[in-house]
Amino acid sequence: MDPYKFRPNKEFDSAYWTTNSGAPVWNNNNSLTVGSRGPVLLEDYHLVEKLSNFDRERIPERVVHARGAVAKGFFEVTHDVSHLTCADFLRAPGVKTPLITRFSTVVHERGSPETLRDPRGFAVKFYTREGNFDLVGNNIPVFFIRDSIKFPDMVHSLKPNPQTNIQESWRFADFFSHHPESMHMFTHLFDDRGVPKDYRHMIGSGVHTFVLINAEGRETYVKWHWRPKCGEEFLATDEEIAAVQGQDHHHATRDLWDAIERGDFPEWTLYLQTMDPADEDKYEFDPLDVTKLWPEDRFPLQPVGRMVLNKNPDNFFQENEMLAFCPGLVVPGITYSDDKLLQGRIFSYADTQRYRLGGNYLLLPVNAPKCAHHNNHYDGVMNTVQRSEAVNYFPSRFDPVRHAERYPANRATITGRRERAVIPKENNFQQPGERFRSFDPARQERFVTRIAGILLDPKCTAEIRRVWVGYMTQCDASLGQRIAKKLAAEGAAM
């Protein structure tokens, strides 16, 4: 038998999606969850295989967030939130915690200009007394998709064409034509606010819903938000972007470095929004849906503390390239919600770091906790510690280490049927429509022009254009009409 006969290629390919082993996949759009809203089941072999393959696609550059700038500093609690969480680093005003922060561009490669229209990563590693807490987010408070099983495909569509190695808008226009929930993200990314002036003038968001647990075990949904003390600023027009890009394609990294060197230490305020989990069904949106905002008029921002970045990295490779974040790194008093995207990222981020940096990446100085810690996870690649114990198992009468004291944990009861399903309350168009209508006329026109520019790619089909115009019309009737008018003026088939 020819061993290459059945390898997928242009001449021979399956008509349906399969796993790597050839098993048919009947639903490649939804993770296997308990009920339609989750949580996600680890037994979803297809999801794990898909994410694992995606995590290993690049060496050694990060698959996403390849280009980044790092700074170190501290977080100081300014407001009492002990009624919400028993997290030690948030225990009282005045408590300070060392941290490291990485800002990044998401899709483009490590050497790309920092002026490109691209979401920005905003990731903070808190070195707390109870271990590291990674608050991993973006500068945009919503996301393109709500289920992590779509993440590899989404990134593939945004990355360069594997045939030409050129980023081509028809590819992501095609992909997102299948995902109406992405329209909200596009009203942020292709808005004037889509290109921050630099990292110091950039907001941050945890994007996901987490759960805070207080000392009595009471649970509260939470969303995290960073706001820069110096205010939020953007490169709002093509002319502003071109002027900066023509001068320096490291402009945001340089600005952050220079500000810290001259003692103008960047500062952000950390805010949170809270919701009682008992109320999650009362709203027109699903609070665990990352394509939705929690409106601030109903869920006001509550200040928690301030982050000050006062030290530049000593070595780019050790403190930037080897720095690794994972939203799975939480501390007592903070835990996960059933958000489908978050559940996948808990696995995927750690998995990609083990591939990129080795199984012991958390032993590297920049990733290691700054508190006493003990386990038997140290053999293998990148073992950077000297261990001389005769006992490397647990429990043992020769090793006095014991279980930690029990702390409050998520106690929600989970019931439901195993299924791959979309959440019941999608409501894909209300919030993007409200956002578009909040723009002034000039800002609306720039947004319309940018969206039309995507759809004018010669390889965009009439069907793709019709679907996009239909989505935008459902967001706002005038928005769809204006995009269609621009397309017609250019002779684009509809």
Side-chain angles (χ1 to χ4, degrees):
M1 178 183 289
D2 181 359
Y4 302 103
K5 180 178 180 181
F6 296 109
R7 290 195 175 183
N9 54 58
K10 289 182 179 179
E11 287 69 42
F12 180 89
D13 208 347
S14 169
Y16 50 80
W17 200 276
T18 74
T19 65
N20 288 346
S21 65
V25 174
W26 77 269
N27 188 331
N28 192 35
N29 285 322
N30 299 288
S31 300
L32 186 64
T33 56
V34 180
S36 63
R37 296 181 67 247
V40 175
L41 296 174
L42 187 59
E43 73 182 56
D44 189 350
Y45 173 84
H46 172 51
L47 169 66
V48 173
E49 178 184 83
K50 190 173 182 181
L51 292 176
S52 297
N53 276 267
F54 173 74
D55 292 342
R56 289 162 173 79
E57 287 184 359
R58 302 286 190 277
I59 18 177
E61 183 175 288
R62 289 171 169 89
V63 179
V64 288
H65 299 276
R67 171 151 203 170
V70 163
K72 297 177 281 188
F74 65 87
F75 178 77
E76 180 181 13
V77 179
T78 57
H79 292 71
D80 185 8
V81 292
S82 59
H83 62 292
L84 295 172
T85 177
C86 60
D88 178 74
F89 80 103
L90 299 175
R91 64 188 178 275
V95 173
K96 289 187 177 182
T97 301
L99 55 75
I100 188 167
T101 300
R102 187 174 190 265
F103 308 100
S104 58
T105 54
V106 174
V107 173
H108 298 94
E109 65 274 11
R110 192 162 56 191
S112 58
E114 292 178 310
T115 49
L116 298 179
R117 190 171 297 276
D118 194 358
R120 267 57 172 177
F122 194 125
V124 182
K125 186 181 293 291
F126 299 81
Y127 299 107
T128 88
R129 301 192 307 183
E130 295 181 310
N132 293 350
F133 169 51
D134 284 2
L135 182 47
V136 187
N138 291 330
N139 70 313
I140 297 175
V142 295
F143 202 62
F144 295 103
I145 53 172
R146 61 172 70 96
D147 193 316
S148 59
I149 202 167
K150 299 180 181 180
F151 191 79
D153 299 299
M154 181 203 77
V155 174
H156 286 168
S157 77
L158 293 165
K159 288 281 191 180
N161 184 330
Q163 189 177 51
T164 65
N165 199 37
I166 298 171
Q167 189 181 33
E168 299 169 2
S169 59
W170 68 267
R171 288 166 37 81
F172 62 83
D174 173 29
F175 175 78
F176 289 112
S177 72
H178 298 274
H179 298 95
E181 69 269 28
S182 65
M183 296 301 108
H184 196 187
M185 181 68 169
F186 278 102
T187 63
H188 289 263
L189 183 59
F190 281 80
D191 175 29
D192 290 352
R193 300 174 70 177
V195 182
K197 178 183 177 182
D198 50 54
Y199 294 133
R200 290 189 301 127
H201 294 86
M202 188 175 83
I203 67 170
S205 170
V207 181
H208 298 288
T209 300
F210 279 79
V211 178
L212 298 180
I213 307 177
N214 68 9
E216 289 72 45
R218 181 166 63 86
E219 299 173 15
T220 303
Y221 282 159
V222 63
K223 279 185 176 286
W224 307 94
H225 300 274
W226 296 103
R227 294 291 183 268
K229 185 178 180 181
C230 61
E232 189 180 8
E233 296 184 23
F234 318 96
L235 301 176
T237 66
D238 292 343
E239 292 75 20
E240 290 174 323
I241 294 171
V244 173
Q245 185 169 324
Q247 295 171 3
D248 183 3
H249 78 285
H250 309 280
H251 82 281
T253 296
R254 190 185 307 278
D255 175 81
L256 179 66
W257 180 281
D258 289 348
I260 293 173
E261 287 298 292
R262 65 175 178 265
D264 182 14
F265 301 138
E267 182 174 331
W268 284 260
T269 300
L270 178 63
Y271 294 89
L272 53 78
Q273 292 177 289
T274 58
M275 179 190 296
D276 186 337
D279 295 337
E280 65 178 337
D281 296 326
K282 295 181 178 180
Y283 307 103
E284 72 280 6
F285 62 93
D286 189 322
L288 307 188
D289 179 357
V290 293
T291 70
K292 303 295 186 294
L293 292 171
W294 292 6
E296 291 181 19
D297 57 344
R298 286 183 278 173
F299 305 94
L301 296 179
Q302 306 169 50
V304 179
R306 67 188 189 115
M307 174 175 70
V308 178
L309 300 180
N310 57 13
K311 190 176 188 306
N312 279 313
D314 298 304
N315 181 281
F316 174 84
F317 181 77
Q318 292 178 341
E319 295 179 299
N320 190 325
E321 289 304 291
M322 299 182 81
L323 177 61
F325 292 93
C326 176
L329 298 187
V330 295
V331 293
I334 304 173
T335 191
Y336 325 113
S337 74
D338 293 341
D339 169 355
K340 291 186 184 184
L341 188 67
L342 171 60
Q343 296 260 319
R345 290 179 75 208
I346 292 168
F347 161 75
S348 185
Y349 271 59
D351 187 54
T352 197
Q353 302 300 355
R354 293 184 186 102
Y355 168 67
R356 192 172 70 89
L357 298 172
N360 286 306
Y361 76 96
L362 289 175
L363 298 179
L364 298 171
V366 71
N367 299 320
K370 309 306 180 192
C371 60
H373 54 289
H374 181 104
N375 58 50
N376 297 320
H377 307 158
Y378 50 83
D379 283 344
V381 177
M382 297 291 287
N383 180 359
T384 60
V385 298
Q386 178 67 36
R387 301 292 293 263
S388 58
E389 296 92 335
V391 174
N392 62 349
Y393 51 87
F394 178 90
S396 169
R397 290 182 172 81
F398 297 95
D399 185 349
V401 70
R402 56 182 173 80
H403 288 119
E405 296 299 319
R406 189 169 184 172
Y407 52 83
N410 191 321
R411 296 178 297 182
T413 300
I414 300 171
T415 59
R417 180 180 59 197
R418 289 182 176 88
E419 57 183 314
R420 297 185 185 273
V422 177
I423 63 172
K425 200 181 292 184
E426 291 192 79
N427 198 359
N428 293 320
F429 306 113
Q430 178 181 342
Q431 291 193 0
E434 291 170 348
R435 178 171 172 79
F436 175 75
R437 289 187 290 274
S438 73
F439 299 167
D440 63 57
R443 187 172 167 187
Q444 286 186 351
E445 182 62 21
R446 288 190 291 270
F447 176 74
V448 168
T449 299
R450 291 173 189 133
I451 296 298
I454 296 171
L455 302 178
L456 285 170
D457 186 301
K459 287 192 175 182
C460 267
T461 65
E463 180 184 12
I464 291 172
R465 294 188 184 110
R466 284 197 303 272
V467 170
W468 271 77
V469 170
Y471 287 163
M472 290 297 181
T473 300
Q474 291 178 80
C475 294
D476 180 90
S478 68
L479 171 58
Q481 292 167 2
R482 290 165 68 175
I483 293 172
K485 185 176 179 180
K486 281 193 178 292
L487 296 175
E490 297 294 329
M494 291 280 290

